[in-house]
Amino acid sequence: MSKRQKIGIVLGISLFTLIILLPTPDGMNPKGMKAAAVTVLMAVFWVTEAISIFATAFIPIVLFPILGILNANHIAASYGHHIVLLIIGAFLVAKAIESNNLHKRIALGTIQLIGTSRRQIILSFMIACAFLSMWTSNNSTTLMMLPIGLAILQRESIGKNNAFGSALMLSIAYSASIGGAGTLIGTPPNLLFVSTMNEIFPSSPDIVFTDWLKIGLPFVIIFLPISWIFIIKYFKIDGGLNDSHDVIQNEYKQLGAITIAEKRVLIICILYALGFVFRRKMEIGTVTLLGWSDLLGVQAYVKDSTVAFLAALLLFLLPNGKIKNDGSKKKLLEWDDAKTVPWGIAMLIGGGLAIASAFKESDLVSWIGVNLNLEGIPMFLVLLIVVVGMVFLTEINSNTASTAIFLPVLAGVSQAGNFHPYLLMIPATIAASCAFMLPSGTGPNAIILSSGYVTIPEMAKCGFWLNLLAICVIVLLLYFIIMPLLGVTAGSPNWI
């Protein structure tokens, strides 16, 4: 056990005990004080990694019932929430894309299409990474793209102190993180936002896959090219690569003709995406398009998790065209593949949802709203502080853990300022995906550091400036453009 972990255990338990023993402030429900104590304990454990961040997510299962905050049934509902099921279903689909090599064909096809000059190579890698990260995990995307990037660098005999090598590696990591913000299933913080809203504000409108596209996709479309321009300018990238086209061609040729398995997975993935998009009725101008749930009369019964698991079940059901050693047909997705999906992330979301539930049931959100004085502080300044804090906090802590802790708090801050929760909670959620400075910030950062083409000081310097750009884009884009287009104003909505 490291020194940091030992400090985390002692500090976390000490703060937990201190808060439990302190007198309850005026107007606070005693349950709220206990919920705050558990939340602080989990926050310290998550930041210091006193125990596994996934194991920390199980603390509410034990302490909330023992402390009389939530009963066991309520806790179980948090870990079996439809949002938790959605991320599991999405992981299963992503694993099928990966295990059948469809992601590599998409990536190489994108690179071939855009071009193979130095600047074009970086752009094509960023577009491919961002697109794949909208549907698969950021870590899986980075791990898949890394060897392709290394093959180009090695073929061109580019040394490890070369600016192009650093730029290419960082572009892979950064675009994987940026792309994850684009869809509801792209990264766990997005799903945590939805589940937290459902729990704390049960009267709020449901946020589904298509709703998040209106928020995340514009961010990706705007920030990805800004990041590309910044990277090529920062590293002064120019000129061409002699053999890069051959490398990509050879990699693509090695894939061979598109297989039966790839075709079937692609068809299921298209239906999967369409299932999300057309689940509910849509208003397009004066025309109303009924969703498939409306046509079946089950709109009150189905969620996005229904779509994800339908796709997963089809993948488990359909053969991939190969025969196993025992003579049976191999499926597009086998359980041995499914066992390797990151189940811990789903439990982390469950732990975050349990915290949100405790904040709601103990009236801690309301207490924060009543006792936090934001009078005279401009809404824009509060938003800027929240985004800056989240961007730099996630440099040292898991982005999922950070959003799990702070989204319920921001719900209370919104009540204190009497403004729409989306104005703080959505920017904070996107900001959680924008940690570009340190390998501890995100999995992609740590993965590309292992290539040897990037040093920590190099990542920190480049990432610091990109963090600042991300803060500007998030604040300006969401506050001045996206929120007004969504009809979100500074005033508190009637469902709070």
Side-chain angles (χ1 to χ4, degrees), residues 420-441:
H420 203 298
Y422 286 6
L423 291 171
L424 291 185
M425 295 174 72
I426 290 177
T429 300
I430 292 180
S433 295
C434 296
F436 303 122
M437 284 179 61
L438 298 173
S440 56

Short mmCIF file of all heavy atoms in Angstrom, two decimals, residues 420-441:
data_model
loop_
_atom_site.label_atom_id
_atom_site.label_comp_id
_atom_site.label_asym_id
_atom_site.label_seq_id
_atom_site.Cartn_x
_atom_site.Cartn_y
_atom_site.Cartn_z
N HIS A 420 -31.72 27.53 -13.50
CA HIS A 420 -31.91 26.20 -14.09
C HIS A 420 -30.69 25.31 -13.82
O HIS A 420 -29.55 25.71 -14.07
CB HIS A 420 -32.11 26.32 -15.60
CG HIS A 420 -32.83 25.18 -16.22
ND1 HIS A 420 -32.32 23.89 -16.21
CD2 HIS A 420 -34.03 25.10 -16.87
CE1 HIS A 420 -33.15 23.09 -16.84
NE2 HIS A 420 -34.21 23.79 -17.25
N PRO A 421 -30.90 24.08 -13.28
CA PRO A 421 -29.76 23.19 -12.99
C PRO A 421 -28.89 22.88 -14.20
O PRO A 421 -27.68 22.64 -14.06
CB PRO A 421 -30.44 21.92 -12.47
CG PRO A 421 -31.78 22.35 -12.02
CD PRO A 421 -32.18 23.49 -12.89
N TYR A 422 -29.49 22.85 -15.40
CA TYR A 422 -28.71 22.54 -16.59
C TYR A 422 -27.53 23.52 -16.77
O TYR A 422 -26.49 23.15 -17.31
CB TYR A 422 -29.58 22.64 -17.85
CG TYR A 422 -30.57 21.52 -18.06
CD1 TYR A 422 -30.76 20.53 -17.11
CD2 TYR A 422 -31.31 21.46 -19.23
CE1 TYR A 422 -31.69 19.52 -17.31
CE2 TYR A 422 -32.24 20.44 -19.45
CZ TYR A 422 -32.43 19.48 -18.49
OH TYR A 422 -33.34 18.49 -18.70
N LEU A 423 -27.71 24.77 -16.32
CA LEU A 423 -26.71 25.81 -16.56
C LEU A 423 -25.39 25.50 -15.88
O LEU A 423 -24.33 25.95 -16.34
CB LEU A 423 -27.23 27.16 -16.08
CG LEU A 423 -28.38 27.76 -16.91
CD1 LEU A 423 -28.96 28.98 -16.23
CD2 LEU A 423 -27.90 28.11 -18.31
N LEU A 424 -25.42 24.73 -14.80
CA LEU A 424 -24.18 24.32 -14.13
C LEU A 424 -23.86 22.85 -14.36
O LEU A 424 -22.71 22.48 -14.59
CB LEU A 424 -24.26 24.57 -12.63
CG LEU A 424 -24.29 26.01 -12.14
CD1 LEU A 424 -24.25 26.04 -10.62
CD2 LEU A 424 -23.13 26.81 -12.71
N MET A 425 -24.87 22.01 -14.32
CA MET A 425 -24.63 20.57 -14.33
C MET A 425 -24.16 20.05 -15.68
O MET A 425 -23.30 19.16 -15.75
CB MET A 425 -25.88 19.83 -13.86
CG MET A 425 -26.22 20.13 -12.40
SD MET A 425 -27.80 19.41 -11.85
CE MET A 425 -27.38 17.67 -11.76
N ILE A 426 -24.71 20.59 -16.77
CA ILE A 426 -24.27 20.13 -18.09
C ILE A 426 -22.84 20.59 -18.40
O ILE A 426 -22.00 19.77 -18.82
CB ILE A 426 -25.26 20.58 -19.19
CG1 ILE A 426 -26.57 19.80 -19.06
CG2 ILE A 426 -24.66 20.37 -20.58
CD1 ILE A 426 -27.64 20.21 -20.05
N PRO A 427 -22.49 21.87 -18.21
CA PRO A 427 -21.09 22.26 -18.44
C PRO A 427 -20.11 21.50 -17.57
O PRO A 427 -19.02 21.13 -18.02
CB PRO A 427 -21.09 23.77 -18.10
CG PRO A 427 -22.49 24.21 -18.35
CD PRO A 427 -23.34 23.04 -17.93
N ALA A 428 -20.48 21.24 -16.31
CA ALA A 428 -19.59 20.48 -15.43
C ALA A 428 -19.39 19.06 -15.94
O ALA A 428 -18.28 18.51 -15.88
CB ALA A 428 -20.18 20.44 -14.02
N THR A 429 -20.44 18.48 -16.49
CA THR A 429 -20.36 17.11 -17.03
C THR A 429 -19.42 17.06 -18.22
O THR A 429 -18.56 16.16 -18.32
CB THR A 429 -21.76 16.62 -17.44
OG1 THR A 429 -22.61 16.63 -16.29
CG2 THR A 429 -21.69 15.22 -18.01
N ILE A 430 -19.54 18.01 -19.14
CA ILE A 430 -18.65 18.04 -20.30
C ILE A 430 -17.23 18.37 -19.88
O ILE A 430 -16.26 17.79 -20.39
CB ILE A 430 -19.17 19.04 -21.35
CG1 ILE A 430 -20.49 18.53 -21.94
CG2 ILE A 430 -18.15 19.24 -22.47
CD1 ILE A 430 -21.10 19.41 -22.99
N ALA A 431 -17.08 19.27 -18.91
CA ALA A 431 -15.75 19.64 -18.42
C ALA A 431 -15.01 18.44 -17.84
O ALA A 431 -13.78 18.37 -17.91
CB ALA A 431 -15.87 20.75 -17.38
N ALA A 432 -15.76 17.48 -17.29
CA ALA A 432 -15.14 16.29 -16.71
C ALA A 432 -14.41 15.45 -17.75
O ALA A 432 -13.54 14.64 -17.41
CB ALA A 432 -16.19 15.44 -16.00
N SER A 433 -14.74 15.64 -19.03
CA SER A 433 -14.07 14.89 -20.10
C SER A 433 -12.89 15.64 -20.69
O SER A 433 -12.30 15.19 -21.67
CB SER A 433 -15.08 14.58 -21.23
OG SER A 433 -16.10 13.72 -20.78
N CYS A 434 -12.54 16.77 -20.10
CA CYS A 434 -11.51 17.64 -20.69
C CYS A 434 -10.28 17.78 -19.81
O CYS A 434 -9.82 18.90 -19.53
CB CYS A 434 -12.10 19.00 -21.01
SG CYS A 434 -13.41 18.95 -22.25
N ALA A 435 -9.76 16.66 -19.33
CA ALA A 435 -8.52 16.67 -18.55
C ALA A 435 -7.38 16.27 -19.49
O ALA A 435 -7.26 15.10 -19.86
CB ALA A 435 -8.62 15.70 -17.38
N PHE A 436 -6.54 17.23 -19.87
CA PHE A 436 -5.53 16.97 -20.90
C PHE A 436 -4.09 17.07 -20.40
O PHE A 436 -3.17 16.90 -21.16
CB PHE A 436 -5.71 17.97 -22.06
CG PHE A 436 -7.08 17.94 -22.68
CD1 PHE A 436 -7.87 19.09 -22.72
CD2 PHE A 436 -7.60 16.78 -23.21
CE1 PHE A 436 -9.14 19.08 -23.30
CE2 PHE A 436 -8.86 16.74 -23.79
CZ PHE A 436 -9.63 17.90 -23.83
N MET A 437 -3.90 17.35 -19.09
CA MET A 437 -2.55 17.67 -18.61
C MET A 437 -1.77 16.48 -18.07
O MET A 437 -0.56 16.39 -18.28
CB MET A 437 -2.64 18.71 -17.49
CG MET A 437 -2.91 20.13 -17.94
SD MET A 437 -3.00 21.26 -16.53
CE MET A 437 -1.36 21.06 -15.82
N LEU A 438 -2.43 15.58 -17.36
CA LEU A 438 -1.71 14.55 -16.61
C LEU A 438 -2.18 13.15 -16.98
O LEU A 438 -3.34 12.96 -17.35
CB LEU A 438 -1.91 14.76 -15.10
CG LEU A 438 -1.40 16.10 -14.53
CD1 LEU A 438 -1.81 16.23 -13.07
CD2 LEU A 438 0.11 16.20 -14.67
N PRO A 439 -1.29 12.16 -16.86
CA PRO A 439 -1.70 10.78 -17.15
C PRO A 439 -2.75 10.26 -16.17
O PRO A 439 -3.49 9.33 -16.48
CB PRO A 439 -0.40 9.98 -17.04
CG PRO A 439 0.53 10.86 -16.26
CD PRO A 439 0.14 12.26 -16.56
N SER A 440 -2.82 10.86 -14.97
CA SER A 440 -3.82 10.45 -14.00
C SER A 440 -5.20 10.97 -14.36
O SER A 440 -6.21 10.54 -13.79
CB SER A 440 -3.44 10.96 -12.60
OG SER A 440 -3.27 12.38 -12.62
N GLY A 441 -5.27 11.93 -15.29
CA GLY A 441 -6.54 12.55 -15.65
C GLY A 441 -7.49 11.59 -16.34
O GLY A 441 -8.66 11.51 -15.97
#
